[in-house]
Amino acid sequence: MGLGRGDGEVLGDRREDHIDDRDVHDDQCDAQGHGGDAEPLAYRTEFTRRFATWLGPHSTDAAALVEILYAEDQGTPLSPARLSERVSLSSGATAILLKRLEQAGHIVRTRESTDRRVVTLRSSPDIRPRAEAFFGPYAERMAEAMSTYSPQGIQRFEDFIDLLRSTMDTLPANEYRGGGPGPRTP
């Protein structure tokens, strides 16, 4: 069984892509509310908050830990710089966050590359079972819901989400290069 991220993904055997919303902070999500009609981002934020409450760290630390666990599950462990991008923190803030996670025994920093300067972030052996215990029920329900669709149907959905993601990724580099779609109007 894989871990669930709390944003519509199940980690492990089956993959369900999502719209990448990592750059939105928890305080921005508060305005969206968390009622029955909440957007997927609000659900993700709620899962992260509950994981943080259950595990003990601040929600930003828990979000970083979830990113580290997810990247490991995907076979693409993160470097501190990549984590910094994914949780929208400066390199200095990320270094402090990683020190807290390391001191709490949640992560380890390793040097797995032939370039010994490259640091790889890994979850500690103690944290994975705890994360699986927390996200297990979610992962089971997601797998059950996904099992009602054919592999072709899921692939079609993944293709659609990939198209949306690539469209969203090109906007900042092109139309929104200056911060918006064009000159500001009063």
Side-chain angles (χ1 to χ4, degrees):
M1 172 191 336
L3 300 174
R5 284 182 64 181
D7 65 349
E9 291 185 348
V10 176
L11 305 170
D13 299 333
R14 296 188 79 169
R15 181 177 72 96
E16 183 180 342
D17 285 336
H18 70 290
I19 296 171
D20 194 350
D21 51 34
R22 293 181 194 98
D23 59 339
V24 179
H25 296 283
D26 288 344
D27 56 331
Q28 292 171 317
C29 298
D30 288 339
Q32 294 178 6
H34 298 286
D37 297 324
E39 295 295 319
L41 175 56
Y43 289 123
R44 174 181 180 188
T45 302
E46 184 63 24
F47 265 87
T48 300
R49 286 185 181 153
R50 288 177 188 223
F51 182 59
T53 300
W54 183 78
L55 189 61
H58 183 273
S59 62
T60 302
D61 293 11
L65 182 56
V66 167
E67 292 293 341
I68 292 166
L69 287 161
Y70 176 71
E72 278 185 305
D73 262 15
Q74 296 303 301
T76 55
L78 299 175
S79 66
R82 183 69 179 125
L83 176 66
S84 177
E85 293 170 5
R86 292 179 76 160
V87 295
S88 297
L89 292 176
S90 68
S91 59
T94 301
I96 293 167
L97 177 147
L98 290 173
K99 185 176 181 180
R100 284 193 307 263
L101 289 176
E102 205 168 30
Q103 287 175 338
H106 298 322
I107 66 156
V108 294
R109 300 180 214 212
T110 63
R111 298 193 187 275
E112 302 169 14
S113 173
T114 55
D115 181 349
R116 302 302 289 164
R117 296 172 296 176
V118 176
V119 174
T120 302
L121 303 174
R122 296 281 183 180
S123 59
S124 70
D126 294 337
I127 199 63
R128 184 156 291 277
R130 294 171 73 190
E132 287 175 349
F134 181 84
F135 289 111
Y138 172 76
E140 289 172 12
R141 286 195 180 181
M142 289 300 296
E144 183 180 317
M146 289 173 64
S147 73
T148 64
Y149 295 90
S150 70
Q152 297 82 8
I154 290 173
Q155 185 60 54
R156 223 172 136 207
F157 177 73
E158 287 179 350
D159 293 345
F160 172 69
I161 295 298
D162 285 342
L163 176 63
L164 288 178
R165 181 182 301 151
S166 67
T167 300
M168 294 296 292
D169 288 346
T170 62
L171 286 172
N174 297 315
E175 289 90 345
Y176 288 82
R177 191 173 339 166
R184 284 181 141 179
T185 56

